Amino acid sequence: MKQIALSLSLAGLAFVMTAIWGGPLLRILRHYKIGKIIRVEEPGHHGVKMGTPTMGGVMFIFPVLLLSGLLNAVALIGVQSGGVGRSILVPMAVMVGFAVLGAVDDWEGIHGKRKGDGMRARTKFLFQVILALATAYVLKYQMDVPDLYLPGLFFEVELGWLYVPIASFIIVAESNAINFTDGLDGLAGLIAATAIGAFGGIALMQEQVYLARFCFILVGALFGFLWFNVHPAELFMGDTGSLSLGAVLAVIALMTGQWLMLLVIGIIPLSEILSVVIQIGYFKLTKGKRFFKMAPIHLHFELLGWSETQVVQRFWLIGLMAALIGIGLSQV
């Protein structure tokens, strides 16, 4: 109970820290004209979002790194015996690595040579794979995290060397899944916060205290970001935020050994990335026909007549119920 209270208190502190520096960050982004460029094929009403400050992921990334680093400073420098607090170094490093990659992509799309497009997809994917492989190797051979837990089984399922490619795939896939989810005001932030909170609860039940604290700090910071990101959004997280959020969510799930629950807890990001895969595959197979009106799937529902807030709220309700179900299944 004490750990739960502390974790929730840290979430509240992270929320306050993020909300306080949100205003100054907005002024900085506007000063340097770091504004979103909207694709011409998106629904027409999205045009009003043109120029809205982006790269807002730094709004929650900096407070998370600062608060997590200070909270675990003793363990991180190795003074505490066992150094269990050092377990958060991996998600913190992943957050920074993917945030830098996303920031480069955002900057290229705003002021770079490929204005409006960002980094080449192959280049970005290559860097994602490199970062994911390095992370998976550390998780497997340096941290010795559990390979896999299955509902109904009371033992760890050993995957051996297969763990590294599987974990790498999960990290890259989840990073892109949250990136695809980030298309409507507040959607990616709400979905990611719910999923990360769910895995934070699982970590608490596994007595991974440091990991749980990190999760709830991130959830609190995301709520602070959402203060500025809910409809009508004053800023967007950009790839700076979405790529790092997805990768961190995957790493947290891998560290609990309950990464299979991403299929349930992360049902919305899974649906988003699958809709893109289905749309592209169907388009190629039928030589020009579309399976959805537009992909990712949140745009499909907008074109069906749902308002932006309806899509966000309904997707979040599904994500919340899926998170509750996932937590329950993880304890079977």
Side-chain angles (χ1 to χ4, degrees), residues 2-310:
K2 180 180 178 181
Q3 295 301 334
I4 295 175
L6 178 58
S7 297
L8 294 177
S9 298
L10 289 170
L13 179 58
F15 169 80
V16 172
M17 290 175 62
T18 306
I20 286 175
W21 97 287
L25 175 64
L26 270 174
R27 289 192 289 272
I28 293 171
L29 293 175
R30 287 168 180 157
H31 176 76
Y32 288 101
K33 298 180 180 179
I34 303 177
K36 176 72 172 178
I37 295 178
I38 304 298
R39 294 183 303 166
V40 295
E41 65 268 22
E42 289 188 29
H45 65 273
H46 283 207
V48 299
K49 301 180 181 184
M50 181 74 77
T52 301
T54 188
M55 294 180 73
V58 297
M59 181 180 288
F60 58 82
I61 290 172
F62 284 167
V64 169
L65 295 177
L66 177 62
L67 191 52
S68 296
L70 291 175
L71 183 67
N72 299 279
V74 175
L76 289 174
I77 62 177
V79 175
Q80 179 174 312
S81 60
V84 291
R86 278 179 264 178
S87 61
I88 67 162
L89 277 176
V90 175
M92 287 174 69
V94 167
M95 175 176 281
V96 172
F98 277 82
V100 170
L101 177 61
V104 172
D105 188 25
D106 285 334
W107 186 262
E108 281 290 309
I110 300 169
H111 295 295
K113 295 180 180 179
R114 290 174 53 82
K115 188 174 182 179
D117 295 320
M119 294 176 65
R120 295 185 184 278
R122 291 181 180 179
T123 304
K124 183 165 67 173
F125 181 73
L126 175 62
F127 280 107
Q128 284 180 305
V129 171
I130 292 172
L131 289 170
L133 284 170
T135 303
Y137 180 86
V138 171
L139 290 174
K140 174 65 177 177
Y141 297 108
Q142 300 297 319
M143 296 185 61
D144 194 29
V145 301
D147 282 9
L148 172 64
Y149 290 127
L150 291 173
L153 299 182
F154 300 96
F155 56 86
E156 177 187 347
V157 177
E158 296 286 347
L159 298 176
W161 63 269
L162 285 173
Y163 180 87
V164 172
I166 291 173
S168 300
F169 172 79
I170 293 169
I171 294 170
V172 173
E174 199 63 37
S175 177
N176 287 302
I178 295 294
N179 186 233
F180 285 129
T181 305
D182 182 32
L184 301 180
D185 296 352
L187 181 59
L190 279 171
I191 296 301
T194 303
I196 291 168
F199 279 105
I202 292 172
L204 270 179
M205 287 182 274
Q206 293 179 341
E207 298 183 353
Q208 293 199 58
V209 176
Y210 288 91
L211 180 60
R213 291 176 184 173
F214 175 83
C215 290
F216 285 105
I217 288 171
L218 180 51
V219 169
L222 278 172
F223 283 169
F225 166 78
L226 285 166
W227 186 270
F228 301 91
N229 182 240
V230 292
H231 186 74
E234 296 180 67
L235 87 165
F236 304 130
M237 66 171 66
D239 283 15
T240 306
S242 60
L243 291 182
S244 61
L245 270 184
V248 166
L249 172 58
V251 169
I252 291 167
L254 288 164
M255 289 177 70
T256 64
Q258 295 283 358
W259 50 266
L260 202 61
M261 289 301 105
L262 279 171
L263 297 175
V264 180
I265 295 173
I267 186 65
I268 295 299
L270 176 64
S271 300
E272 296 277 8
I273 195 170
L274 284 179
S275 69
V276 174
V277 173
I278 292 170
Q279 185 84 323
I280 294 174
Y282 190 80
F283 186 86
K284 290 182 177 180
L285 286 173
T286 59
K287 298 180 179 179
K289 294 183 179 180
R290 297 187 177 192
F291 188 86
F292 300 102
K293 288 181 178 295
M294 191 175 289
I297 199 169
H298 60 259
L299 297 175
H300 170 80
F301 284 102
E302 270 201 291
L303 292 175
L304 285 178
W306 292 16
S307 70
E308 183 169 353
T309 52
Q310 282 180 317

